[in-house]
Each structure stands twice: as structure tokens, then as C-alpha cells.
């Protein structure tokens, strides 16, 4: 539980509601990523033509990327709602829409039954989820940052990736359990649908929890004239901060997708590691990641944001090639390489939600983060699994993708020089 020594019972209750309401919705979004990546082979075999399995997998990954195209639109829409109507309203609507997308995938007809309509249903569902996910992160991290004590905002910010990783971990564990208990025939018939139906139910629960949250004092205290100020002129005025969000995100989003999201699936499809063993290795790596997050969050509250961001980007860049070389043909190699990489990735992941919020004023904070962040994730994060698969299996030049990832980390490290040190910043100013 994230608390301080002087917390009163009433404040503890409010803190608990904030953590649960913010965390559960964020977990649902990341759970959606994990199960799509984990169950890609089954989705490909059921919602695309079986005549060319390799093409079906690439098409499934392409729709994973296409879903990210909707994220910038979601960042603007839900950012506008968050900055005009309220952080709570934006968070609640976003998680509700995401659950609709999960339900659509869970009940989608197969390619054998309706042909290309099955693929189209998947595409529409991912676009809906992309729209919702584009608004989820900026809304939830803005809400959390404004609710946090300024002296502990870096620590509180770790809830975003902690809850998100719990969602990924749950999705990965579910995949491992289903893989162990159900036959391949049953998985192909209906087993692969179970995680998406669970995701829809979790989204409904998150919607109810978020509807009970209180709006942040920072937002409610903002002058009415400021809140009515046109959005676009403010976005233009804060274009430097928007560019900084993109620069700080570009390396993190690609390296995180590589090692935190798609590594077990890639190990299965490209390296032929047993599916169940790869999923359990992914569980180990994500547990290490969760354990590392609060360490970096507390450290950033003590020594500052910039030093921690540099440690994460430089450390991940240095270790990427050795860990990639280690990963060859066994699950223990996957567990070790994921764990080492995720320790360094955790440095940036722990505090960027706070850093983003600290770059913008209250009147533009949600949309100011949401639009550039979503654009960056759509262009670089959404395409990462496809590029990795294509360069590794089709072009047979996997090292090109590794060079690409490390160069993006270098760009993020350089951008750290451009931001001010915001440790302990008062967000009402």
C-alpha cells in the first residue's frame, strides 16, 4: 500500500480507493496487450486463413500494430475529456470502451464460418481498444500524479507499471495454465476466447470502481477561465514538452515491448522454445520487474528524475546485445535475459508517469501527455513486434532490429538532457 507516516484513516480510505480504481483499469489495459501477444498463434489460426500459417501470424501482428493507429485519436479525445470534464470521467469512459473491444474478440466468429468478416471483426475490436488505450494511460497517470504527495510522486507513479505488469502477469499466467490444462484442439476451438471474455468482465468491474472515485483537488482548483481555454493553442504553446514526451518514450516503449510483452511469444514462434515453458519464464521476468519498480521510484524521489532515467536508458542499451546473445533455445535463458533487461527498463518505467505530468500545467496535462505519447507508442511501440518478427524470420537479419532498439534508447537518453529536474514539483503551479 502506498502511504505516508502521517496518513489519517480518512486519507487511507481515499488512498486505497485511488490505488484500486486507478490500478485495476490500468491492469485491464495491459492485460489486453498481453493476451493478444500471448494468444497470437491461436488468433491467427482461427480468424485468418489456414492456407498460409506464416502469413496469418504476420497479419495478426499487423492488426496488433494497426490497433495502435487509433491511440493518438484516443489520446486527444480522452485527453480533452480529462482536461475539460475531469480526470475521473476520462478514466471511466476509457476502461468501459476497452472492455467492449475485449468482448468483441472473445465472441468473434471464425474464418472458417464467415471468411474475411472474422478478420474484420478483429480489426474493428483492436481499433476500439486502441482508442480506449490511447486515453487510459494519460488519464490514469495524470489522476495518480495529482493525487500523490509531491515528495513521494515518483514512488506513487510506480503504480502505473506495477498494476500494468500485474495485468500482463495475470494474462501470461492464464496462458500458461490454459496451455497446461487444455488440449490443442480445445484451445483452438474455444480455449483462446476465455482470456478475452475475462478481460471484458474485468473491464466492467474497473468501470464500477472508477465511478466511485473523487476528482482530484488540483483539477477542481483550476480556474474556470483556464479550463475553458482552447485546447489546440495550448498544445502548440507546449510543443516543446510534447516533443520531450516523444523523445523520452521512444526508447522505453520499444525496449519494453521487446522484453516485457512479446518476448515469450517471440521465443515460441521464432526460437521454437516450448510454449508453456516460455510463458513461465515470462512470469519470472515480470515478477522481477515488479520488484524493481518501487526501488527506482523511491530513488528518484531522493536523487532526482534525470539520474534515474539515464540509468535506465544506458543500462538497457548496454545489456541488450548480451542478453539477446544469451537467448537461444531454452526457457531458463529467456527467464534470465528478461529479468536482467527488465531491471533496467524498470528505472524509466517507474517514474515516467510522474515526469510526464510534471512537464505540463493542469489545464493541458492530460491531452498534452496523451497525444504525443500515443503517437510515439503507435509509430514505434505498435510496430515493434511486427518488425521483430519480420526482420528475424522473413529477412533473416534479427541484428538489424537490435541495432534499431538500442539507437532509440540512445535518443531517449539524449532527451533527458532537455528536461528540467522536476523532483518534488508542485503541480498546482
Amino acid at each position: 500500500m502506498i502511504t505516508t507516516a502521517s496518513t489519517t484513516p480518512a486519507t487511507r480510505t481515499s488512498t486505497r480507493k485511488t490505488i484500486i480504481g486507478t490500478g485495476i483499469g490500468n491492469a485491464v489495459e495491459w492485460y489486453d496487450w498481453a493476451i493478444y501477444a500471448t494468444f497470437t498463434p491461436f488468433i491467427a489460426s482461427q480468424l485468418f486463413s489456414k492456407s498460409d500459417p506464416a502469413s496469418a501470424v504476420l497479419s495478426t501482428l499487423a492488426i496488433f500494430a494497426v490497433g495502435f493507429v487509433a491511440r493518438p485519436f484516443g489520446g486527444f479525445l480522452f485527453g480533452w475529456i480529462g482536461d475539460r470534464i475531469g480526470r475521473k470521467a476520462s478514466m471511466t469512459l476509457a476502461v468501459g470502451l476497452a472492455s467492449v473491444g475485449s468482448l468483441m474478440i472473445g465472441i468473434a466468429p471464425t474464418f472458417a464460418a464467415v471468411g474475411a468478416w472474422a478478420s474484420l471483426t478483429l480489426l474493428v475490436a483492436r481499433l476500439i481498444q486502441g482508442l480506449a488505450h490511447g486515453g487510459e494511460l494519460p488519464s490514469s497517470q495524470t489522476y495518480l500524479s495529482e493525487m500523490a504527495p509531491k515528495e513521494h510522486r515518483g514512488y506513487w507513479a510506480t503504480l502505473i507499471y506495477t498494476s500494468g505488469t500485474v495485468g500482463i502477469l495475470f494474462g501470461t499466467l492464464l496462458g500458461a495454465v490454459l496451455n497446461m490444462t487444455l488440449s490443442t484442439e480445445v484451445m483452438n476451438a474455444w480455449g483462446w476466447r476465455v482470456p478475452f471474455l475475462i478481460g471484458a468482465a474485468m473491464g466492467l468491474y474497473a468501470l464500477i470502481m472508477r465511478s466511485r472515485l473523487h476528482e482530484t483537488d488540483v483539477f477542481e482548483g483550476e480556474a474556470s477561465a483556464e479550463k475553458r481555454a482552447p485546447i489546440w493553442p495550448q498544445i502548440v504553446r507546449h510543443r516543446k514538452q510534447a516533443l520531450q514526451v516523444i523523445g523520452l518514450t521512444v526508447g522505453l516503449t520499444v525496449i519494453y515491448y521487446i522484453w516485457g510483452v512479446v518476448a515469450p511469444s517471440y521465443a515460441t514462434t521464432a526460437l521454437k522454445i516450448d510454449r508453456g515453458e516460455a510463458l513461465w519464464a515470462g512470469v519470472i521476468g515480470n515478477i522481477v520487474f515488479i520488484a524493481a519498480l518501487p526501488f527506482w521510484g523511491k530513488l528518484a524521489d531522493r536523487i532526482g528524475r534525470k539520474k534515474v532515467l539515464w540509468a535506465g536508458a544506458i543500462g538497457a542499451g548496454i545489456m541488450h546485445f548480451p542478453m539477446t546473445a544469451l537467448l537461444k533455445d531454452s526457457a531458463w535463458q529467456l527467464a534470465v535475459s528478461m529479468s536482467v533487461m527488465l531491471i533496467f527498463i524498470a528505472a524509466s518505467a517507474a517514474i515516467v508517469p510522474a515526469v510526464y505530468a510534471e512537464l505540463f500545467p493542469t489545464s493541458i496535462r492530460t491531452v498534452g501527455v496523451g497525444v504525443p505519447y500515443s503517437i510515439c507508442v503507435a509509430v514505434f511501440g505498435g510496430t515493434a513486434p511486427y518488425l521483430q518478427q519480420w526482420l528475424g524470420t522473413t529477412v533473416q537479419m534479427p541484428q538489424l532490429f537490435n541495432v534499431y532498439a538500442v539507437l532509440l534508447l540512445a535518443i531517449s537518453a539524449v532527451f533527458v538532457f532537455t528536461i528540467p529536474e522536476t523532483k518534488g514539483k508542485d503541480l498546482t503551479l
Side-chain angles (χ1 to χ4, degrees), residues 154-408:
Y155 180 47
W156 275 54
T158 64
L159 175 64
I160 297 297
Y161 272 80
T162 299
S163 61
T165 306
V166 168
I168 291 177
L169 193 57
F170 178 61
T172 305
L173 278 169
L174 182 59
V177 170
L178 290 175
N179 186 74
M180 290 174 58
T181 58
L182 299 180
S183 67
T184 302
E185 292 75 17
V186 173
M187 284 295 295
N188 281 321
W190 55 266
W192 68 272
R193 299 180 183 274
V194 172
F196 296 98
L197 296 176
I198 291 175
M202 289 168 56
L204 177 61
Y205 175 72
L207 187 151
I208 294 171
M209 292 300 299
R210 286 186 168 182
S211 69
R212 298 173 179 173
L213 294 176
H214 298 293
E215 187 56 79
T216 71
D217 292 338
V218 173
F219 176 80
E220 291 187 334
E222 178 74 4
S224 297
E226 276 293 314
K227 286 195 286 186
R228 288 196 300 267
I231 291 290
W232 279 113
Q234 293 189 74
I235 292 176
V236 173
R237 189 160 60 249
H238 294 91
R239 58 189 180 275
K240 177 183 177 181
Q241 290 91 332
L243 182 61
Q244 288 170 331
V245 169
I246 292 174
L248 293 174
T249 303
V250 66
L252 172 63
T253 188
V254 171
I255 205 71
Y256 179 73
Y257 277 122
I258 294 170
W259 291 104
V261 179
V262 302
S265 180
Y266 177 78
T268 298
T269 57
L271 304 178
K272 309 305 179 184
I273 296 175
D274 177 78
R275 187 187 309 279
E277 292 181 0
L279 291 174
W280 285 113
V283 169
I284 294 172
N286 278 299
I287 290 174
V288 171
F289 182 62
I290 291 173
L293 287 167
F295 164 77
W296 291 112
K298 289 183 177 180
L299 187 63
D301 284 330
R302 292 183 59 187
I303 68 173
R305 315 299 193 219
K306 299 177 71 167
K307 292 177 183 177
V308 171
L309 290 174
W310 275 320
I314 295 171
I318 291 173
M319 295 305 298
H320 179 70
F321 282 104
M323 292 302 102
T324 301
L326 173 66
L327 179 56
K328 291 184 175 67
D329 55 9
S330 68
W332 76 263
Q333 295 166 351
L334 177 63
V336 171
S337 59
M338 282 186 68
S339 298
V340 170
M341 288 302 299
L342 286 171
I343 287 173
F344 289 102
I345 293 169
S348 296
I351 63 169
V352 286
V355 174
Y356 295 152
E358 290 162 349
L359 289 175
F360 292 90
T362 303
S363 60
I364 193 69
R365 184 165 292 132
T366 312
V367 74
V369 173
V371 173
Y373 177 84
S374 298
I375 289 173
C376 182
V377 171
V379 173
F380 296 96
T383 58
Y386 184 90
L387 279 175
Q388 186 181 37
Q389 183 83 7
W390 181 69
L391 289 173
T393 61
T394 304
V395 181
Q396 297 291 319
M397 297 183 67
Q399 288 303 319
L400 281 180
F401 184 78
N402 293 324
V403 171
Y404 166 77
V406 172
L407 284 176
L408 293 181

